[in-house]
Amino acid sequence: MKRLFVLLAALVLAALAPAQRPLTMICEATFPPYEYHVRGGIDGIDPALARIVAACLGRELEVQDMAFDAVIPAVSTGKADIAASGITVTDERRRQVLFSVPYVQAAQVVVVRQGCDIATPEALRGRRIAVQSGSTGDLFVTKTFGDPERFQNVTFAITAVLSGKAEAAVVDQEPARVFVAGSQGLAILPEPAVCETYAFAFAKERRLLCAQVDAIFEAMRRQGTLERLLERYFAAGRSYKQDKAALAEALDTSDLLAEVLADEALRARLAELAATGAAAEGGEAVGAWQRFRETLHLNFVAADRWLYLLRGFGVTVEISFFAVLIGLAIGFVVAVIRATHETQGTLAVADFLCKLYLTVIRGTPAVVQLLIIYFVIFGSVNVSKVFVAVIAFGFNSGAYVSEIIRAGILSIDRGQMEAGRSLGLGYLSAMRHIILPQAFRNVLPALGNEFIVLLKETSVAGYIALMDLTKAGDIIRSQTYTAFLPLLAVAAIYLAVVSLLTCLLGLLERKLKNG
């Protein structure tokens, strides 16, 4: 009876215990053939390997898409079990995460426009070079040639070369082959910029999971399944030029999975690791104060990284200041036209154009407008990225400012205009001397709020490789692989500037009230 009771209790506990959570893998899914979006999810070499790992461990797999420069900080803080996004093993990254054994040899190559005068990586000195922010291409170019044009992903970096915004891009070899195969006018230099190896990354505490992945990779290498899996995806990427559907569907790797699962030696090794797993977990204990000082030095003192924040802050202030001026000018013009049409019934064509402008600007995201202006409108013109950002954010802000001012104009009693006209003032003179000053005072809090929003909206300027304040924090984070202090520093600077603006607007508002 006692044994039966124990058995029943064990069954009840097993039934009530929560199901084992899925194995979570994060990647930046614009990196074919290593990871890319397909119908119904994300596929590629890294997700395929992760599916095999999850199956061997008896767990489901969940693949999440994330910006590349956030992948290592995310896995090091426990946001995911595995980071796998064509991650190169470097000494700097080893300080933050554990790495599995390498699963592929790779290289950083130089992508240029056909017919250009760049023939070797050494010829990149003094050129405009596009990279993916946080990649080893970024680290190589920064160390060898100086600061590059840092884009969010490989797609934007190669698009910059194709549109003439950059003279070359230093990116990973296999993704470069896929993008060059699908684009006209691009070529890859025969000499690689740097050779490297890729591996899976884990938090320092996940020693057991790292050992299990090592065992699976070693078994796959012994069986030959690893080489066959790589070649299957490489072949699909190389045939992309002839077969656009090659990377549209998830490739079938079920035969390779069955071969790995049938490996008795691997099963025995995984069982051995699971039995001794408790001893494998955990890392070295480091004092909190010592860890904070080391992280502070690494993020801001080492390599003078605080200069990134200083330069980024200057760019943010420059963009915001000139965008506010453009937004105010556009907003006043559009507001007066629309208010005049509503009250006088004139300017019908101008009012229609203003409504069209408002519909387009307010109906599309600011980052999309920024990319269209940079890659399309100024696609064939070599202009300053700061100028592009000022135009984009100025036109975006103008739409919202115009509605704020229009609301202020319409809030003024119509008798005020009639009184001005009765004194002999023309419509524009009455608007200028009587209506607009009162309207401006009424809408000053709303205008101040719009300017604060504009300041923070400039944080998406990094999409066109412009180093504003937010991008500066991202660059530090991508080099140190720590998220907390760079993000905290950026947030503190924004908070200080917004607090200062709020104080100045309050003083102006009180002065206008007294007047």
Side-chain angles (χ1 to χ4, degrees), residues 109-110 119 188-192:
V109 297
V110 181
I188 300 175
L189 297 188
E191 181 184 348

Side-chain angles (χ1 to χ4, degrees), residues 223-241:
Q223 300 164 350
T225 50
L226 179 58
E227 183 179 354
R228 278 179 278 153
L229 184 146
L230 294 173
E231 186 52 40
R232 194 170 295 183
Y233 281 93
F234 288 162
R238 291 163 188 163
S239 66
Y240 182 70
K241 186 173 184 178

Side-chain angles (χ1 to χ4, degrees), residues 165 319 323 326 366 369-379 381-396 461 464 466:
K165 298 297 184 183
I319 294 172
I326 292 176
Q369 297 165 20
L370 178 67
L371 292 173
I372 289 174
I373 292 175
Y374 182 69
F375 284 115
V376 181
I377 296 177
F378 291 109
V381 182
N382 185 20
V383 297
S384 166
K385 289 192 287 291
V386 173
F387 174 78
V388 171
V390 167
I391 294 297
F393 292 116
F395 272 80
N396 180 271
I464 61 172
L466 183 60

Side-chain angles (χ1 to χ4, degrees), residues 278-350:
E281 294 291 347
E284 298 180 3
V286 180
W289 175 243
Q290 179 184 349
R291 185 165 56 247
F292 175 77
R293 286 192 305 170
E294 291 175 352
T295 305
L296 187 68
H297 182 274
L298 177 66
N299 281 280
F300 304 120
V301 180
D304 290 330
R305 291 192 174 98
W306 62 273
L307 289 174
Y308 284 121
L309 295 176
L310 182 62
R311 292 198 294 266
F313 175 68
V315 171
T316 294
V317 171
E318 183 180 5
I319 294 172
S320 301
F321 177 76
F322 289 106
V324 163
L325 296 182
I326 292 176
L328 278 173
I330 294 175
F332 269 110
V333 172
V334 173
V336 170
I337 290 174
R338 295 206 62 206
T340 301
H341 177 73
E342 290 184 26
T343 57
Q344 305 293 316
T346 57
L347 304 176
V349 175

Side-chain angles (χ1 to χ4, degrees), residues 40 61-62 70 101 139 190 195 201 230 235 259 268 361 401:
L61 177 68
E62 179 181 321
V101 294
L139 302 178
C195 295
L230 294 173
E259 191 172 338
I361 295 299
V401 169

Side-chain angles (χ1 to χ4, degrees), residues 61-243:
L61 177 68
E62 179 181 321
V63 181
Q64 299 177 357
D65 190 3
M66 183 177 289
F68 181 78
D69 57 8
V71 165
I72 288 181
V75 78
S76 66
T77 54
K79 300 299 183 184
D81 299 305
I82 300 172
S85 192
I87 301 175
T88 304
V89 180
T90 66
D91 292 336
E92 292 80 7
R93 290 171 178 170
R94 284 188 186 278
R95 296 191 185 102
Q96 302 299 326
V97 293
L98 294 175
F99 277 110
S100 69
V101 294
Y103 59 90
V104 67
Q105 294 288 328
Q108 294 287 317
V109 297
V110 181
V111 178
V112 297
R113 299 187 74 173
Q114 291 178 354
C116 80
D117 59 348
I118 300 175
T120 64
E122 289 74 21
L124 293 175
R125 191 171 304 279
R127 307 297 186 113
R128 288 173 294 138
I129 310 169
V131 298
Q132 180 183 19
S133 181
S135 67
T136 46
D138 180 2
L139 302 178
F140 166 76
V141 173
T142 302
K143 183 178 180 180
T144 310
F145 305 114
D147 281 338
E149 306 278 333
R150 295 181 175 92
F151 291 90
Q152 294 292 105
N153 52 49
V154 175
T155 305
F156 284 165
I158 293 182
T159 301
V161 177
L162 197 59
S163 62
K165 298 297 184 183
E167 296 173 87
V170 178
V171 294
D172 297 75
Q173 183 176 39
E174 291 301 327
R177 288 175 174 169
V178 174
F179 285 111
V180 169
S183 304
Q184 297 294 327
L186 294 178
I188 300 175
L189 297 188
E191 181 184 348
V194 62
C195 295
E196 55 195 13
T197 56
Y198 292 165
F200 281 14
F202 313 85
K204 288 280 191 178
E205 298 77 19
R206 306 303 301 275
R207 297 183 183 277
L208 172 59
L209 181 58
C210 182
Q212 291 170 328
V213 172
D214 284 349
I216 294 168
F217 283 177
E218 293 292 355
M220 293 181 68
R221 187 173 283 111
R222 183 181 68 250
Q223 300 164 350
T225 50
L226 179 58
E227 183 179 354
R228 278 179 278 153
L229 184 146
L230 294 173
E231 186 52 40
R232 194 170 295 183
Y233 281 93
F234 288 162
R238 291 163 188 163
S239 66
Y240 182 70
K241 186 173 184 178
Q242 292 77 28
D243 181 11

